[in-house]
Amino acid sequence: MYNEFIEFCKLTYPEFKEVFEKESPSPNLFSFQTVTMPQETFEKIKEFVQVAYHLRNNASYQKDILGQAPVHPNLSVLMSFDFHIVNGNPKLIEINTNASHFLTSKLMEDFVCKTENRKSAFPNAIEKLKDSFLNEWKLFSNQMLKTISIVDEDPTMQRAYFEFLLYKKMFEQMGLSVSIDDAKELAWNSKELINSKKERVDFVYNRSTDFYFEESISQALQTAYESNASCISPQPQEYQLLADKKRLLDFGTAGFLEKYLSTDEIKLFRSIVLEIVEVKKEDKEKLWSDRKKYFFKPKNSYGGKGAYKGESITHKTFDQVLEAGDYIAQEFAPPSTTPITDQVSHKVDAKYDLRFFVYNGEIQHAAVRTYIGQTTNFRTLGGGFAALFIE
């Protein structure tokens, strides 16, 4: 099925043909399975996302979180809200900026729709994605957008590099000059951000996981951001308002949401946001006693890095988590399972989570991530993205 998928992409999306002919995405990205979600569950997720942005847009909330009114007018492209479904109810795992694999999972979904003669729940996803980039630029400037830089740390070494090439082709189809740049190779010339092609950068599509531009490799990005010299999306302000895991701690703090949301909105939040506590040394005994109900993860983690299921954490690792001083313990919400076909054509049950790609409160696309193991990993043979259908 993988080879048929590659041929489908080349025929259906001629703008991406060259990428698919020269590069091969990992087969472990695509399970080609399907998961069906009840319309009622999807509506609840959609409502939650809208309420989250109602909170994000609240002036008092912004001032309390940022310490001032927002400096930048921009939102962020490619935010994601990740969920597990527990007994039919969505449970928020985390909110992310610079979420990966929108394009790759959408192409896979289109292939599954064609193969199974089904209709996508998000038929205009790629056009809406393009519109979100254009809207970000419109919020930033009334000049013509000319150059865009796709930025990450050592981009050619990233597992998502194949998708960077797809984005490059998409942006070129939009009439833009495009570069894929290592964050540390960007330059600041006292007034402009300069890319590897020695061009001024109008727009940075930011895939770096240095979310606050605190590391030395992000110095040029930080200067451009603070100087408002380039439109940067996703950007630190948006990470701070929604995606920093400290916000999950805030959401669970008594009296916090009451300052910004209505009673019904708070009720919705409480039903979807899992219990989260900060990992503190003084709570060592209680946290160890209750460890099986928690999932331990760093406050600024991504992609499951440094995360541990409490049920299987060892004493040694638990002590390391305490010493790190930057962990939270999130109530464990067991993932649902779905059958996938493994490398020897056996059906096995894989765990899955749901990723909803969002811009300005609107869900543009969704994908199912299937895996075997502790967290999503894209290393499971037969695992990877599955198509989500809503009925």
Side-chain angles (χ1 to χ4, degrees):
M1 189 171 287
Y2 176 82
N3 291 332
E4 288 89 339
F5 166 66
I6 299 298
E7 291 304 313
F8 166 83
C9 289
K10 289 193 288 187
L11 289 171
T12 309
Y13 296 94
E15 65 269 35
F16 298 143
K17 181 179 179 182
E18 182 183 350
V19 177
F20 279 96
E21 287 179 341
K22 291 184 177 180
E23 305 280 341
S24 297
S26 168
N28 293 349
L29 278 176
F30 312 105
S31 73
F32 302 111
Q33 308 300 317
T34 65
V35 170
T36 300
M37 169 183 284
Q39 183 71 38
E40 180 182 3
T41 305
F42 176 64
E43 292 299 327
K44 192 171 185 180
I45 288 173
K46 188 161 64 171
E47 183 182 0
F48 175 80
V49 168
Q50 291 168 348
V51 171
Y53 271 82
H54 183 201
L55 176 65
R56 177 251 180 255
N57 293 331
N58 182 288
S60 296
Y61 173 80
Q62 292 173 343
K63 189 173 182 180
D64 289 344
I65 299 302
L66 300 175
Q68 60 185 9
V71 175
H72 300 273
N74 289 86
L75 304 161
S76 275
V77 297
L78 290 151
M79 297 284 287
S80 78
F81 288 64
D82 299 344
F83 297 88
H84 285 172
I85 305 298
V86 180
N87 298 322
N89 297 308
K91 298 294 180 180
L92 180 72
I93 303 304
E94 58 190 20
I95 302 172
N96 295 290
T97 51
N98 61 25
S100 62
H101 295 302
F102 183 113
L103 284 178
T104 43
S105 63
K106 179 56 183 170
L107 300 187
M108 184 278 305
E109 183 210 69
D110 288 347
F111 172 71
V112 172
C113 285
K114 183 175 185 292
T115 303
E116 300 194 5
N117 193 28
R118 299 179 72 168
K119 290 184 178 181
S120 168
F122 308 95
N124 302 314
I126 294 179
E127 290 306 313
K128 288 190 175 185
L129 176 64
K130 293 177 184 178
D131 288 344
S132 65
F133 279 94
L134 294 176
N135 190 64
E136 282 292 276
W137 177 251
K138 190 181 299 183
L139 289 169
F140 179 80
S141 172
N142 58 8
Q143 303 297 311
M144 181 178 292
L145 175 60
K146 296 178 180 178
T147 60
I148 187 165
S149 173
I150 303 165
V151 175
D152 204 344
E153 300 146 39
D154 296 320
T156 59
M157 301 304 294
Q158 299 292 337
R159 286 196 296 172
Y161 181 65
F162 177 83
E163 191 183 38
F164 294 173
L165 296 174
L166 295 181
Y167 274 104
K168 184 174 186 292
K169 287 298 179 183
M170 184 186 82
F171 292 138
E172 287 173 346
Q173 286 286 313
M174 295 166 65
L176 304 177
S177 175
V178 188
S179 58
I180 300 176
D181 297 304
D182 191 322
K184 64 177 176 287
E185 293 176 352
L186 293 172
W188 176 256
N189 71 354
S190 78
K191 61 177 181 178
E192 295 175 338
L193 187 66
I194 305 299
N195 65 15
S196 57
K197 296 164 69 174
K198 309 302 180 185
E199 297 174 325
R200 166 198 162 94
V201 178
D202 292 333
F203 196 123
V204 172
Y205 169 33
N206 174 34
R207 291 291 290 263
S208 169
T209 53
D210 179 15
F211 301 113
Y212 286 123
F213 299 156
E214 296 173 319
E215 300 174 16
S216 59
I217 60 170
S218 303
Q219 186 172 355
L221 274 176
Q222 181 187 29
T223 304
Y225 179 67
E226 291 177 348
S227 303
N228 212 31
S230 298
C231 178
I232 300 177
S233 187
Q235 40 94 348
Q237 179 179 279
E238 204 71 11
Y239 180 80
Q240 190 171 358
L241 285 171
L242 280 179
D244 192 317
K245 290 180 180 60
K246 294 174 186 174
R247 302 293 79 78
L248 296 178
L249 284 168
D250 289 337
F251 299 159
T253 300
F256 181 83
L257 292 174
E258 283 77 2
K259 293 184 288 184
Y260 317 109
L261 299 179
S262 70
T263 301
D264 287 345
E265 289 172 329
I266 293 168
K267 184 178 179 182
L268 179 67
F269 250 73
R270 297 278 189 247
S271 71
I272 290 179
V273 176
L274 296 162
E275 175 200 346
I276 292 186
V277 297
E278 193 163 8
V279 174
K280 298 178 181 178
K281 289 183 181 179
E282 55 263 37
D283 299 327
K284 177 179 179 178
E285 296 304 322
K286 179 169 175 51
L287 285 169
W288 177 255
S289 176
D290 294 340
R291 68 190 183 282
K292 292 183 180 180
K293 68 179 266 191
Y294 290 125
F295 204 92
F296 296 88
K297 57 176 72 172
K299 291 177 183 176
N300 291 319
S301 70
Y302 62 95
K305 292 189 176 183
Y308 304 99
K309 186 179 178 182
E311 189 175 42
S312 55
I313 196 170
T314 64
H315 255 297
K316 180 179 179 181
T317 301
F318 179 73
D319 288 341
Q320 290 171 346
V321 164
L322 284 173
E323 286 299 320
D326 66 343
Y327 269 74
I328 58 171
Q330 183 180 51
E331 177 189 351
F332 178 65
S336 302
T337 61
T338 188
I340 63 171
T341 304
D342 68 10
Q343 65 269 34
V344 289
S345 298
H346 291 157
K347 286 288 186 180
V348 295
D349 283 334
K351 302 170 187 174
Y352 72 82
D353 68 3
L354 297 158
R355 166 158 286 186
F356 291 83
F357 296 90
V358 173
Y359 178 69
N360 194 22
E362 179 187 10
I363 296 173
Q364 297 177 321
H365 171 50
V368 181
R369 301 187 297 180
T370 64
Y371 62 98
I372 293 174
Q374 185 168 266
T375 60
T376 54
N377 49 49
F378 297 113
R379 293 187 175 91
T380 300
L381 293 173
F385 287 108
L388 178 67
F389 292 101
I390 298 166
E391 296 179 355

